[in-house]
Amino acid sequence: MERKPDPGSGGSSRREATRQKLYEAAVTLIAEQGFSATTVDEIAERAGVAKGTVYYNFASKSVLFEELLRHGVGLLTASLRQAAERTAEEGGSRVDALDAMVRAGLVFIDRYPAFTQLYVAELWRTNRAWQSTLLVVRQEAVAVVEDVLRAGVAGGEFSEELDIPLTAAALVGMVLVAALDWQAFQPERSLDDVHAALSRLLQGRVSGGR
């Protein structure tokens, strides 16, 4: 989960780089063996830092994982928003914006498959200390799609009967589940191929119409 450092931040950029190493180590280990089985010692070793460095940056393993979820979903949300904004700048329709967001989501998942697996798994657990945080960041991602749908309704491009919250959640869920299925069971397919299939679904062309 790469993030470019701020060249003007000096010490803070170094700390951000260290936190990035810890995020990457944690997400890889937890994806491999689960949260409970992963120790702080293992995270530190995988990241190439001292154990004390983990606790300097995060109060506990749970806090590290909570921040990891916040960080990862934040990156996803930003990529969705950028796709929508870029489409608007280019004069595209709201459907074009949604299509661009579908592709942005696939690109993100292709880049961060282990994080995506963890995120989807954690959405269904209710006994985690970070559940409330997860729900908040999940809503932030869905809200970006809701904004496009709401603008489409206001502009007459979409039906006023559209259930915006449920439709937004369905679109995000479609991308997450389809992408994970692609990577687990159809890895021979290209990103372009998967995007084309979801694009046809999004634009209502699965029945053979044009």
Side-chain angles (χ1 to χ4, degrees), residues 31-42:
E32 290 174 355
Q33 58 195 30
F35 177 81
S36 298
T38 300
T39 67
V40 171
D41 285 334
E42 289 173 319

Side-chain angles (χ1 to χ4, degrees), residues 28-108:
T28 302
L29 286 166
I30 294 170
E32 290 174 355
Q33 58 195 30
F35 177 81
S36 298
T38 300
T39 67
V40 171
D41 285 334
E42 289 173 319
I43 293 172
E45 181 179 359
R46 180 69 66 94
V49 302
K51 182 178 179 180
T53 301
V54 180
Y55 290 115
Y56 175 75
N57 286 276
F58 305 99
S60 67
K61 183 177 69 170
S62 291
V63 170
L64 167 56
F65 191 57
E66 180 175 349
E67 288 301 313
L68 169 65
L69 291 170
R70 191 190 300 275
H71 174 67
V73 180
L75 291 178
L76 172 60
T77 301
S79 68
L80 296 178
R81 183 177 294 110
Q82 289 165 6
E85 291 174 349
R86 186 165 54 250
T87 302
E89 290 170 358
E90 294 171 353
S93 67
R94 306 299 180 191
V95 172
D96 291 333
L98 293 174
D99 189 56
M101 294 166 86
V102 167
R103 184 174 184 84
L106 291 174
V107 169
F108 176 88

Side-chain angles (χ1 to χ4, degrees), residues 144-174:
V144 178
V145 183
E146 289 180 352
D147 288 345
V148 173
L149 293 173
R150 195 170 289 110
V153 171
E157 192 171 344
F158 302 141
S159 169
E160 293 183 356
E161 298 178 356
L162 186 70
D163 187 322
I164 291 175
L166 189 57
T167 301
L171 287 171
V172 172
M174 174 186 74

Side-chain angles (χ1 to χ4, degrees), residues 24 95 194 205:
E24 292 171 359
V95 172
V194 175
R205 290 187 279 123

Side-chain angles (χ1 to χ4, degrees), residues 100-210:
M101 294 166 86
V102 167
R103 184 174 184 84
L106 291 174
V107 169
F108 176 88
I109 295 165
D110 186 48
R111 186 175 183 181
Y112 307 123
F115 171 79
T116 305
Q117 291 169 15
L118 288 178
Y119 170 64
V120 172
E122 290 300 319
L123 281 175
W124 301 106
R125 294 194 172 103
T126 58
N127 62 340
R128 300 297 208 188
W130 49 79
Q131 183 66 18
S132 60
T133 294
L134 185 59
L135 293 177
V136 169
V137 295
R138 173 259 176 205
Q139 182 53 39
E140 289 174 355
V142 173
V144 178
V145 183
E146 289 180 352
D147 288 345
V148 173
L149 293 173
R150 195 170 289 110
V153 171
E157 192 171 344
F158 302 141
S159 169
E160 293 183 356
E161 298 178 356
L162 186 70
D163 187 322
I164 291 175
L166 189 57
T167 301
L171 287 171
V172 172
M174 174 186 74
V175 174
L176 288 172
V177 175
L180 291 177
D181 184 271
W182 158 43
Q183 296 187 337
F185 304 114
Q186 306 177 65
E188 71 282 357
R189 301 184 68 167
S190 69
L191 190 151
D192 287 341
D193 186 26
V194 175
H195 174 226
L198 296 186
S199 181
R200 284 191 290 272
L201 183 62
L202 171 67
Q203 298 181 41
R205 290 187 279 123
V206 294
S207 65
R210 296 184 182 276

